[in-house]
Amino acid sequence: MSSTLINILFFGLSYGMILYMTSVGLSITMGLMGFVNLAHGVFAMLGGYATVTLMNSLGVPFFPALLAACIMVTVLGFVLERLLYRRLYGATELDQVLFSMALIFISVAIARIFWGPLAQPIALPKYLHGHIDLIGATIPTYRLFLLVFGSVVAAALWLGFDRTLFGARVRAAVEDHAMAEAVGINTDRLFALTFGLGTGLAALGGGLGAEILAISPGYPLQYIIFFLIVVAVGGLGSIKGPLYASLIIGLADTATKYIMPEAGMIFVFAFVFLLLRWRPQGIVSRRKG
Amino acid sequence: MTRPTDTALPGKGMPAIPASKRWLEAVPWLLALGTYAAAPQYAPLLTQIFVMILFAMSLDLLVGYTGIVTLGHAAQFGTGAYVAGILAARGWITDPTMTAVIAMVAAGCIGLFFGSLMLRTKGLAFLMLSVASGMFLYEIANKATGITGGDDGLQGVVFSPLLGLWEFDFRGTTAFFYSFVMLFLTFIFLRRVVNSPFGWSLRGLRENDLRMSAIGCHNYRRRLTAYTIASTLAGLAGAVQAQCTGFVALNSLSFELSGAVLIMLILGGSGRLYGAMFGVPIYMFAQDYLAKRDPTNWFLWQGIILLILVLFARGGVLSLAERGFHACCRRRPG
Amino acid sequence: MSAVLDLCDVTAGYGPTVIIENLSLALQAGEVLAVLGRNGVGKSTLMKTIVGQTRLHRGEVHLKGESIGRLPSYRRALSGIGYVPQERDIFGTLTIEENLRISARSGRWTVEAIFELFPNLAGRRRNRGDEISGGEQQMLSIGRALVGNPSVLLLDEPMEGLAPVIIDQILKVLHTLRSAGGLVIVLVEQYALMALEFAPRTIVLDRGRAIFDGRSIELSGNPELMASCLGLSGSLA
Amino acid sequence: NAEAVKVGMILTYSGPNASLGELIDRGASLYVKLHGKELPAGTTVEIIKRDDTGINPDLAKRLAQELIVRDQVNILTGGQWTPNTMAIEALSKQAKMPYVVMGAGGSNVTWQEPYVIRTSFTVWQSSYPLGQWAAKKGYKTAYTLVSDFAAGHDAEAAFIKGFTAGGGKVMSSVRVPMKTTDYLPYLLKVKEANPDLLFLFNPGGPAATAFMKAIADIGITTSKIKVIGTGDITTDEELPNMGRAPLGVITVHHYSAAATRKANLDFVAAWKREYGANSTPSFFSVGGWDGMKAIFDAVRAQKGKMTPDATMAYLRNWSNPDSPRGPIHIEPETGEIVQHEYVRRVEERDGHLANIEIETLAATGDPEKQFKAKP
Amino acid sequence: MSELPVLEARELNKAFGPIAVTRNVNMSLMRGERRALIGPNGAGKTTFVNLLSGRLRPTTGNVFLNGIDVSRADEATRSKLGIGRTFQITSLFPALTAHENIFLALAESAGFGMHILRSARSYGSLHDRADELLEKVGLLGAAATSVQQFPYGQQRLIEIAVALALEPKVLLLDEPAAGIPTSERDLILDIVKALPSDIAVLLIDHDMDLVFRFAQRITVLVQGAILVEGSPAEIAADQSVRDVYLGERS
Ligand SMILES: Nc1ncnc2c1ncn2[C@@H]1O[C@H](COP(=O)(O)OP(=O)(O)OP(=O)(O)O)[C@@H](O)[C@H]1O
Ligand SMILES: Nc1ncnc2c1ncn2[C@@H]1O[C@H](COP(=O)(O)OP(=O)(O)OP(=O)(O)O)[C@@H](O)[C@H]1O
Ligand SMILES: [Mg+2]
Ligand SMILES: [Mg+2]
């Protein structure tokens, strides 16, 4: 019985960590920068494709491939930010929605042209395969790895954003662009940097999550709801929020699947519904000081 | 001139169409009829466009006028479609107008229910709640295979002839005129609504809801009323859809549909009812054309067109048209 | 002696609209200028033009001999322009402390020094910017400008919403800054009398043009001029 | 006086499910490429493709309507999704338009619809015999885990019927929502129940791979639980993505790319020539191939002068003794396909995993229709 | 028989988390009274107005309007019952014109907000009234300009016009003169003077000149509690008020 509990806890948390890894980039571009970037999944998908292609076609090992993919997508993020995104910083959220949907359409088509309609297989290194048996519980190695890796990323982000003024500057620039400039913040560079970081993280999430959220041209549309839920439940502009949100949703999802498999998705949505009714600004919100 | 004229156009600080140019308002309707006269084989596409315009207009009341951005509007659309469809499939009521009315009531109730749960929140939280509300109904319809047919869709939906006179034929003639008239009636209704004190107060809510409550408006009730009206009309759109295609499937409740209609609305320009009339046809004609030219890669072209529009026609196609229109007006002497 | 802040024949406005026309102005180190005028004549627009938030149609702005008229706003801030906007423009989602920290640059004024100056703020340092009173926001706005340790301080109605005691206190601080640090101060003020008393030099704007530019006593000592420029009746003076 | 025959083909060419549409389209196109010229003199066949973007019956119906009214096609085909197919069928009945279904697997697709035939399969066709087979092999207990959509419900019902009729016992039946990405919690429960058999059904594609990897990760493949299912869970195109996880999994299906029939060897070879050595046809492709062959046969039989009723009369009696999947024919009363099912095991061949046929089951039509027909 | 106060605050308390911002405040406004509320920054003046108008709920204590307890009523209800206010930080409908801003207030207070099918244009008397109010604040010429294009000072005037449109029984003015030149502040006094004499007005401002010319009585709020209350002369002479608020001047 207790091994079941451990299992649920572990699977829930590790699934939550997958949600976190794939969504945290959005909590930066959308939560911090205030850009309704529905195209977040595009960067995650490209990260996944780049990782897979480097591994399968060029034989690059997993971690170097992941790193290279992040760098490539970050660069792409920079370029897109300079060319396109920055034109819409001042636009209404509706225009941003339209813009990011356009990007999704384009990238879906391009991914299909280059990689075909099928999902891309990702061959993880041997040592991340299979499972470890721990006091009667079966623990898939990769999930354990994700749990550790995700914690490290979360800690790094927290140190980088909450403990420095970087995050405060970004929020200031988002809230009042003109005034932020007037106190000496180079908003242009700041946004480019932040956006690059957001896309880089998206790519990382895409590559790491590829095992569970399969990389195919439909990716940006298929998982958009997951990303949005995490950011909404976590709370805009917070760095810790999305982590808590992911873990809570991961746990709740896992527990309902185990306890009431018939319930299906209804319970997950009901759960999110209740969470948001309870705390409309998200779990960690900047609204309530 | 301090008093705005009665028109569907005044959007976010946009000037209205001058009274002398009011005949312009008839153009889209004549255009629609003209297209049909010239190419009756396009009737099915036109019908679907009308349904989507109707749906998008109901959404505009929320998004454009009240400032409520929802990604769950299909919940009401699907409710309307399923209610009409089930009534007909079971053979309980097959008269199109009767089923449409019942579908509207049902969708209005669903809107009232979800709205009352969600409308105390705003922004992203509301957006996600609306997504959840749509998903909710979707999952329920998916599970209730006995009633809805699950994802096989609802079978055997046959409506009796419209007003006892016109059969819904496979060429889609009846469907075309039926959806046209329904759209027209809805438009007239919505136009009245947005120009009424109620409609103005919705714009007030959009602009500054805290101020609205300070001048004595019960924001929540006001929003809920708007939400219920929009839901009712979305239900009508769903019912018309069910009647014109004789089929109802789960996708009428889907997140994708909610997203697509929002995109079409933004594309046309929100906050003036005509936005839907521009956005939907442009989107759907482009989609139809591109998908036929290149069934596998039309997404690419559609994306590129959207991108160009959003970069160069901020605020929707209608904004662009308006800017051009007013530039012309100004240039002309007198 | 070269001017710290020098506006040459400036024409500026919002988009194509021109608000400020052919305005020239040179301010030496330690100089204090009051900008007066009725509602909507372009006082705030003048400030924004120096900060870089309007479109400069024609003319030049020099700061310490360097041309800044075409520089982005943040570069101007970094070269020493501090700005207190009329509508305060506090970052509402940031805490009081964050508001100050992100603006701080090394110099005499530190975040702690601001908290000493405005004890009200110190007690609220972890509150969000939009959770404090109007006057406290005004203090924060002034503090935010000071903490950047500027060489030119632009104050757009900085006393608005402040209690008389606080106003006295701020005026004192400004006095010392001016005499000790050579700070250039441009002050837009609705309390014309107070401004005339504080600033040795005054310009009066009307529809974007300077209709008076000279020593403040010339204005305050001349009720007719006051009345014609500002609509202030002599009795008030 | 050339006879121009128009064929309207509605499949999913875009969106997340484009991969299946592409497999059908490639099968159909391959037939056209290889045999499309074998027509009576003066006859041409034009294929008009339309994209239904996924499960989207309204759009599918409109496209069909336009193909009939605007493009004046002689035959409709495609039919990748059951709901879309059902919507089009209502129209084909109204407009008397022959409709060849190449992909959908829902039982009621061909249920008393006069202008429809199917060249694909039904879920009952494989799941029911699998249940019977498993019971016969002596497995006692089973746990069923299917995706929560119509085909999944069919698979569950069919397997349970076959298995329990043979004396097996079903411990639990769970339906997994389609949007699920994390399968481990469900599998955890399976592991604890420790049945003899885990019967799986999912819509193939990425879901199949994710499922299989999860099964391996949680250690079911190395336990005593035997994983079985229809061919959908180890489709030929997904096998390369699954690593070594599915080794030993038993499935029942009507087609495997690894089959050694001559017709299939030729088919696979032609496929690889056309679409590259890394590409593999699947059961969807063979549905497309046979569907197109049926259409061309009908055109040839009428020398290009197509009338709906003659076309239907021909199609309802159509057969192909030499399909890549073995001999097949259409049941005249129902328009349903009759074909063999094969028991296959996932094994390694030439460094790749493949579905190796180990047993051939008797040819049947759709078992569900037979149950329904006998009240 | 003493007259009932129009608006009365009894033992009002408000705390934001650990910080008590309003402490045991009692205040009665009589019909037609002209009262000023002054105090240092952060004393809790705006919070007090928010408690009266219903934007904030008191932690404890009650608000009575014409003897009826409205403590549980929300802002909109209180507005309908006759409490009108302006905001220290301008709060208007930025994209709407000045005329529309005022019309909205008129329509709401007249209870037309739920009229769904009649054209707003047809409410002729409301439009006339809106123009009248604009005239009063001297902005009729710019009635069709969206308010975001007005200079700050004029937005403040529209803010007042919107409050007046509600025809309140009690008018709460939170620093209405902010951003308006000294020379034009008389306009605000004129507007208040022109109000029907039975309307009670509570004014907050830091401009002592304005306050002393306006008020019959002045309440001084310090750190959330009432320090003194009295006539302008008494307040001007009070040493404690000088110490915490007025300073050397005036
Ligand atoms: N963002 C803007 N876009 C267009 N016009 C503007 C904008 N801001 C101000 N204006 C116009 O510019 C003119 C000058 O405005 P400005 O704010 O500089 O006046 P001001 O002298 O500061 O007035 P106040 O005393 O009210 O603060 C006004 O006519 C105003 O309508
Ligand atoms: N939402 C809030 N959360 C926490 N503290 C708040 C909040 N709102 C106000 N305060 C604090 O309550 C105190 C009183 O604020 P209030 O706005 O009522 O002051 P005020 O008297 O109007 O001051 P001013 O003259 O500066 O406008 C201030 O110290 C402020 O920081
Ligand atoms: Mg100003
Ligand atoms: Mg205040």
Side-chain angles (χ1 to χ4, degrees):
Chain A
M1 208 56 235
S2 73
S3 86
T4 304
L5 205 67
I6 293 173
N7 267 324
I8 292 181
L9 224 88
F10 173 79
F11 287 140
L13 291 179
S14 61
Y15 181 55
M17 209 46 105
I18 294 165
L19 291 179
Y20 176 70
M21 293 298 302
T22 42
S23 314
V24 62
L26 183 64
S27 81
I28 287 175
T29 45
M30 182 154 155
L32 224 47
M33 292 176 68
F35 196 104
V36 187
N37 185 22
L38 298 184
H40 170 74
V42 168
F43 299 102
M45 171 183 77
L46 291 179
Y49 272 126
T51 312
V52 168
T53 310
L54 285 172
M55 290 172 71
N56 294 359
S57 310
L58 302 176
V60 183
F62 181 59
F63 286 104
L66 197 60
L67 184 69
C70 285
I71 293 172
M72 276 153 46
V73 175
T74 307
V75 170
L76 179 77
F78 267 126
V79 173
L80 282 182
E81 198 269 351
R82 291 288 85 182
L83 288 180
L84 300 174
Y85 273 86
R86 58 183 308 197
R87 291 164 191 267
L88 281 115
Y89 284 149
T92 63
E93 57 187 33
L94 291 182
D95 281 323
Q96 294 177 349
V97 166
L98 199 59
F99 166 76
S100 45
M101 285 309 294
L103 275 194
I104 291 184
F105 286 169
I106 293 173
S107 63
V108 164
I110 290 181
R112 164 137 198 211
I113 292 170
F114 280 104
W115 288 283
L118 291 175
Q120 295 295 305
I122 183 154
L124 296 173
K126 282 255 160 27
Y127 52 86
L128 290 177
H129 267 311
H131 49 89
I132 303 168
D133 282 310
L134 261 182
I135 32 169
T138 311
I139 301 218
T141 320
Y142 190 59
R143 291 289 179 107
L144 193 63
F145 159 74
L146 279 179
L147 205 54
V148 175
F149 197 96
S151 314
V152 173
V153 171
L157 283 178
W158 182 69
L159 287 175
F161 277 88
D162 272 22
R163 307 310 298 283
T164 69
L165 285 174
F166 189 78
R169 290 210 174 88
V170 177
R171 292 199 305 274
V174 170
E175 188 182 331
D176 190 337
H177 187 263
M179 196 56 222
E181 288 251 318
V183 301
I185 296 174
N186 183 353
T187 53
D188 247 21
R189 204 185 57 193
L190 189 66
F191 278 166
L193 265 174
T194 317
F195 193 83
L197 184 67
T199 50
L201 283 170
L204 183 66
L208 282 174
E211 174 86 356
I212 290 96
L213 309 181
I215 300 296
S216 68
Y219 188 99
L221 280 172
Q222 244 169 322
Y223 303 124
I224 200 167
I225 298 178
F226 286 106
F227 309 146
L228 285 175
I229 284 183
V230 169
V231 176
V233 172
L236 282 182
S238 146
I239 289 297
K240 282 179 256 168
L243 178 64
Y244 299 155
S246 311
L247 295 183
I248 290 179
I249 294 172
L251 270 176
D253 186 47
T254 303
T256 42
K257 277 175 182 165
Y258 181 83
I259 299 162
M260 286 183 294
E262 322 74 38
M265 294 297 271
I266 294 180
F267 269 78
V268 181
F269 286 117
F271 182 68
V272 169
F273 207 96
L274 289 180
L275 269 181
L276 282 172
R277 287 268 345 223
W278 171 56
R279 301 212 64 164
Q281 303 91 350
I283 299 175
V284 177
S285 104
R286 305 203 60 82
R287 286 264 126 75
K288 298 251 167 79
Chain B
M1 192 195 70
T2 64
R3 312 222 175 135
T5 46
D6 224 17
T7 161
L9 272 175
K12 298 176 178 150
M14 277 287 169
I17 292 188
S20 61
K21 301 279 192 319
R22 289 288 289 281
W23 55 266
L24 275 173
E25 287 198 68
V27 170
W29 304 100
L30 296 177
L31 209 63
L33 290 176
T35 312
Y36 174 75
Q41 69 271 29
Y42 278 92
L45 179 59
L46 288 169
T47 304
Q48 214 160 42
I49 287 176
F50 293 158
V51 170
M52 284 310 280
I53 294 178
L54 209 173
F55 187 31
M57 266 185 194
S58 74
L59 182 66
D60 200 11
L61 188 66
L62 299 179
V63 175
Y65 286 88
T66 322
I68 299 175
V69 183
T70 160
L71 270 174
H73 209 40
Q76 281 77 244
F77 181 89
T79 304
Y82 268 109
V83 167
I86 291 169
L87 287 175
R90 296 279 161 114
W92 290 331
I93 303 174
T94 57
D95 177 63
T97 36
M98 273 296 288
T99 46
V101 170
I102 298 172
M104 285 167 76
V105 172
C109 292
I110 288 285
L112 188 65
F113 172 71
F114 279 122
S116 66
L117 289 178
M118 308 190 300
L119 282 167
R120 291 197 196 272
T121 63
K122 274 190 282 184
L124 186 60
F126 179 86
L127 194 75
M128 288 322 298
L129 286 181
S130 70
V131 170
S133 78
M135 293 287 182
F136 233 80
L137 284 193
Y138 183 95
E139 287 297 330
I140 288 172
N142 185 27
K143 292 255 168 212
T145 41
I147 305 168
T148 61
D151 52 11
D152 269 354
L154 193 62
Q155 319 287 335
V157 180
V158 182
F159 288 91
S160 52
L162 184 60
L163 301 174
L165 296 174
W166 299 286
E167 191 108 31
F168 285 100
D169 54 326
F170 79 88
R171 291 181 184 277
T173 318
T174 310
F176 171 85
F177 286 106
Y178 175 62
S179 54
F180 181 83
V181 170
M182 285 305 193
L183 176 62
F184 187 73
L185 294 178
T186 306
F187 172 74
I188 297 295
F189 172 74
L190 272 178
R191 203 179 114 119
R192 299 219 81 164
V193 170
V194 300
N195 284 304
S196 67
F198 172 77
W200 283 34
S201 75
L202 297 186
R203 288 197 280 148
L205 285 174
R206 178 190 75 202
E207 291 293 320
N208 185 350
D209 59 343
L210 286 175
R211 193 33 149 156
M212 272 317 276
S213 56
I215 62 174
C217 167
H218 292 279
N219 294 357
Y220 171 70
R221 274 182 242 164
R222 193 65 51 89
R223 280 209 188 89
L224 190 55
T225 312
Y227 197 79
T228 309
I229 295 176
S231 299
T232 309
L233 294 176
L236 174 64
V240 174
Q241 158 104 322
Q243 290 159 346
C244 292
T245 54
F247 198 87
V248 186
L250 279 177
N251 71 315
S252 64
L253 283 167
S254 67
F255 170 68
E256 285 77 8
L257 182 63
S258 298
V261 72
L262 186 63
I263 292 176
M264 293 185 220
L265 176 63
I266 305 171
L267 177 65
S270 64
R272 51 292 243 190
L273 297 178
Y274 278 104
M277 283 192 209
F278 281 75
V280 175
I282 289 176
Y283 188 92
M284 290 184 65
F285 270 122
Q287 174 169 337
D288 189 65
Y289 176 76
L290 295 172
K292 276 166 195 165
R293 287 285 309 269
D294 183 354
T296 41
N297 294 321
W298 62 271
F299 254 59
L300 180 64
W301 303 114
Q302 177 141 358
I304 289 174
I305 292 173
L306 279 184
L307 195 68
I308 290 172
L309 281 174
V310 79
L311 289 178
F312 299 106
R314 190 78 52 78
V317 181
L318 201 54
S319 270
L320 191 71
E322 275 170 354
R323 264 176 270 158
F325 178 77
H326 287 286
C328 284
C329 284
R330 230 173 294 129
R331 211 166 302 136
R332 226 170 281 155
Chain C
M1 197 170 88
S2 75
V4 176
L5 181 68
D6 192 2
L7 275 68
C8 307
D9 199 23
V10 163
T11 297
Y14 304 98
T17 329
V18 169
I19 305 283
I20 299 287
E21 270 185 276
N22 304 351
L23 191 87
S24 293
L25 196 62
L27 294 168
Q28 315 297 331
E31 196 166 2
V32 176
L33 174 77
V35 180
L36 303 179
R38 307 167 73 104
N39 273 154
V41 294
K43 304 183 294 293
S44 301
T45 308
L46 171 61
M47 304 293 247
K48 287 184 181 161
T49 304
I50 301 171
V51 179
Q53 296 180 350
T54 61
R55 187 196 293 182
L56 188 64
H57 290 269
R58 213 152 40 75
E60 255 311 330
V61 182
H62 291 278
L63 180 69
K64 290 176 256 175
E66 190 193 344
S67 165
I68 59 165
R70 319 275 155 195
L71 287 184
S73 187
Y74 79 95
R75 293 279 300 275
R76 305 186 194 199
L78 295 180
S79 16
I81 290 184
Y83 176 44
V84 177
Q86 184 170 16
E87 285 162 75
R88 304 180 185 110
D89 292 341
I90 292 306
F91 301 113
T93 55
L94 272 58
T95 64
I96 308 307
E97 192 167 343
E98 282 173 334
N99 263 285
L100 293 172
R101 291 222 109 95
I102 61 165
S103 322
R105 273 186 297 283
S106 63
R108 179 179 179 299
W109 289 99
T110 61
V111 173
E112 289 312 317
I114 299 296
F115 282 143
E116 255 163 60
L117 177 65
F118 300 121
N120 272 31
L121 295 183
R124 297 275 183 278
R125 64 167 74 200
R126 305 219 182 283
N127 278 94
R128 280 165 47 120
D130 54 11
E131 285 174 350
I132 56 174
S133 84
E136 286 164 347
Q137 288 192 357
Q138 191 68 62
M139 297 174 206
L140 179 57
S141 186
I142 295 171
R144 190 176 57 183
L146 287 178
V147 91
N149 291 293
S151 43
V152 173
L153 189 53
L154 307 174
L155 303 164
D156 197 346
E157 307 193 12
M159 310 307 176
E160 207 53 76
L162 289 179
V165 265
I166 306 283
I167 295 181
D168 290 347
Q169 193 187 341
I170 291 174
L171 286 176
K172 250 182 242 149
V173 170
L174 292 181
H175 266 296
T176 43
L177 281 177
R178 166 181 86 178
S179 39
L183 184 68
V184 173
I185 299 175
V186 182
L187 173 72
V188 174
E189 203 28 86
Q190 301 292 9
Y191 296 102
L193 302 179
M194 184 227 292
L196 289 171
E197 191 186 314
F198 175 72
R201 178 177 168 191
T202 297
I203 65 170
V204 179
L205 293 184
D206 191 16
R207 265 164 270 154
R209 293 170 183 274
I211 52 167
F212 174 90
D213 184 350
R215 297 196 307 136
S216 303
I217 354 177
E218 279 171 39
L219 195 60
S220 51
N222 185 342
E224 275 140 58
L225 195 58
M226 282 281 271
S228 73
C229 285
L230 294 168
L232 274 181
S233 63
S235 67
L236 248 177
Chain D
N1 50 5
E3 300 292 343
V5 178
K6 287 184 178 174
V7 179
M9 181 153 81
I10 303 171
L11 288 171
T12 299
Y13 289 100
S14 65
N17 291 303
S19 56
L20 302 185
E22 180 169 272
L23 285 170
I24 301 177
D25 179 79
R26 283 182 165 186
S29 304
L30 189 61
Y31 182 86
V32 176
K33 172 119 197 229
L34 299 182
H35 303 289
K37 297 280 174 306
E38 302 160 13
L39 286 170
T43 305
T44 59
V45 176
E46 184 194 352
I47 296 175
I48 306 172
K49 297 180 182 180
R50 293 288 182 260
D51 176 21
D52 63 18
T53 72
I55 299 186
N56 202 342
D58 313 317
L59 178 58
K61 182 165 178 185
R62 193 194 90 213
L63 293 173
Q65 215 169 352
E66 287 172 358
L67 284 170
I68 297 170
V69 176
R70 215 195 291 174
D71 301 301
Q72 316 224 309
V73 296
N74 303 85
I75 294 188
L76 280 176
T77 186
Q80 176 175 343
W81 306 100
T82 302
N84 295 9
T85 307
M86 304 291 297
I88 294 175
E89 269 177 16
L91 199 71
S92 98
K93 191 172 176 182
Q94 244 183 343
K96 300 196 191 318
M97 177 58 56
Y99 184 28
V100 177
V101 178
M102 293 171 163
S107 273
N108 34 16
V109 163
T110 58
W111 195 244
Q112 293 173 333
E113 291 292 351
Y115 287 88
V116 175
I117 69 155
R118 156 148 67 192
T119 63
S120 45
F121 59 90
T122 74
V123 177
W124 272 81
Q125 250 173 354
S126 49
S127 303
Y128 180 70
L130 174 59
Q132 290 177 312
W133 177 88
K136 219 178 319 164
K137 287 283 168 193
Y139 293 104
K140 291 279 174 289
T141 56
Y143 196 111
T144 72
L145 202 61
V146 304
S147 289
D148 192 5
F149 71 128
H153 305 166
D154 278 359
E156 182 189 280
F159 174 80
I160 291 176
K161 184 146 189 143
F163 188 56
T164 48
K169 184 172 161 293
V170 175
M171 302 170 71
S172 189
S173 296
V174 172
R175 296 175 174 182
V176 180
M178 294 287 275
K179 289 200 174 67
T180 304
T181 49
D182 179 22
Y183 302 100
L184 288 181
Y186 298 106
L187 294 169
L188 191 58
K189 203 140 190 202
V190 173
K191 228 186 139 196
E192 282 171 11
N194 197 25
D196 294 341
L197 287 175
L198 169 61
F199 172 78
L200 266 190
F201 181 87
N202 54 48
T209 300
F211 234 121
M212 204 49 82
K213 284 188 170 174
I215 285 175
D217 276 347
I218 205 166
I220 287 184
T221 38
T222 51
S223 72
K224 80 164 236 297
I225 305 170
K226 186 88 193 149
V227 181
I228 62 170
T230 68
D232 305 78
I233 66 169
T234 58
T235 54
D236 297 316
E237 74 273 14
E238 283 293 331
L239 268 182
N241 300 350
M242 293 181 175
R244 306 182 60 78
L247 267 178
V249 167
I250 299 274
T251 56
V252 164
H253 222 215
H254 56 273
Y255 178 73
S256 160
T260 49
R261 253 166 265 110
K262 165 124 193 344
N264 186 50
L265 292 176
D266 293 346
F267 175 66
V268 173
W271 179 283
K272 296 213 180 261
R273 263 200 309 283
E274 187 65 24
Y275 305 118
N278 283 330
S279 179
T280 319
S282 82
F283 65 93
F284 277 114
S285 317
V286 90
W289 167 277
D290 279 324
M292 209 37 104
K293 177 165 167 49
I295 290 169
F296 271 78
D297 285 348
V299 174
R300 289 180 198 117
Q302 297 174 75
K303 304 221 163 27
K305 297 185 178 51
M306 311 286 285
T307 66
D309 290 308
T311 306
M312 274 331 285
Y314 179 82
L315 286 177
R316 285 253 162 171
N317 291 294
W318 180 79
S319 68
N320 181 6
D322 211 16
S323 164
R325 52 182 139 170
I328 58 174
H329 69 266
I330 302 294
E331 206 170 48
E333 308 81 53
T334 57
E336 191 62 87
I337 186 165
V338 178
Q339 59 191 340
H340 288 289
E341 293 288 327
Y342 307 93
V343 181
R344 308 102 46 94
R345 186 166 43 231
V346 179
E347 290 172 14
E348 190 162 353
R349 282 288 146 92
D350 316 323
H352 297 290
L353 297 193
N355 289 303
I356 304 301
E357 293 177 0
I358 54 176
E359 206 178 317
T360 304
L361 305 175
T364 59
D366 180 31
E368 196 190 15
K369 289 200 185 61
Q370 289 149 22
F371 292 127
K372 276 192 187 158
K374 286 182 240 134
Chain E
M1 194 185 107
S2 72
E3 205 188 341
L4 207 64
V6 188
L7 187 69
E8 188 186 1
R10 248 187 242 160
E11 295 287 310
L12 226 42
N13 279 290
K14 177 70 188 177
F16 292 108
I19 314 163
V21 178
T22 306
R23 305 169 200 231
N24 281 336
V25 175
N26 288 293
M27 184 195 272
S28 315
L29 278 181
M30 296 305 184
R31 250 165 61 101
E33 184 171 350
R34 299 288 183 266
R35 171 83 65 107
L37 181 63
I38 61 173
N41 295 118
K45 302 179 296 295
T46 302
T47 306
F48 181 62
V49 166
N50 283 338
L51 291 172
L52 295 179
S53 74
R55 166 129 323 168
L56 291 175
R57 292 291 155 86
T59 317
T60 62
N62 298 75
V63 178
F64 295 89
L65 185 66
N66 285 321
I68 305 162
D69 188 350
V70 293
S71 314
R72 301 280 147 255
D74 60 16
E75 195 175 17
T77 311
R78 292 193 209 183
S79 163
K80 284 234 155 68
L81 289 173
I83 301 182
R85 69 170 294 187
T86 66
F87 289 86
Q88 180 174 7
I89 295 167
T90 315
S91 178
L92 295 166
F93 308 107
L96 305 189
T97 68
H99 180 92
E100 286 169 331
N101 266 270
I102 296 169
F103 180 87
L104 270 182
L106 288 168
E108 285 305 330
S109 70
F112 298 157
M114 286 296 256
H115 286 200
I116 287 180
L117 289 178
R118 202 174 136 193
S119 166
R121 202 173 37 145
S122 66
Y123 294 76
S125 62
L126 292 195
H127 289 288
D128 294 341
R129 177 91 185 101
D131 286 348
E132 236 170 72
L133 283 164
L134 277 171
E135 172 107 68
K136 211 179 238 177
V137 295
L139 294 175
L140 184 57
T145 311
S146 65
V147 298
Q148 65 203 353
Q149 290 176 26
F150 280 89
Y152 182 74
Q154 295 178 359
Q155 294 191 14
R156 300 295 305 161
L157 293 175
I158 299 172
E159 178 82 34
I160 297 172
V162 169
L164 292 181
L166 301 172
E167 299 191 357
K169 298 195 188 76
V170 185
L171 184 58
L172 310 172
L173 300 170
D174 195 353
E175 305 200 12
I180 296 172
T182 336
S183 54
E184 285 165 42
R185 292 192 175 187
D186 287 345
L187 179 62
I188 293 175
L189 283 179
D190 292 343
I191 291 171
V192 175
K193 282 208 189 93
L195 288 175
S197 61
D198 62 335
I199 294 183
V201 182
L202 178 70
L203 174 120
I204 299 174
D205 213 292
H206 292 295
D207 177 357
M208 284 309 114
D209 181 52
L210 181 73
V211 167
F212 284 107
R213 283 200 288 153
F214 159 82
Q216 299 162 338
R217 285 185 77 75
I218 297 178
T219 303
V220 184
L221 202 64
V222 176
Q223 296 202 341
I226 293 179
L227 180 71
V228 284
E229 195 174 307
S231 68
E234 285 164 12
I235 297 299
D238 191 308
Q239 187 55 44
S240 59
V241 177
R242 281 185 172 279
D243 289 346
V244 295
Y245 182 63
L246 294 177
E248 276 81 70
R249 290 180 304 130
S250 82

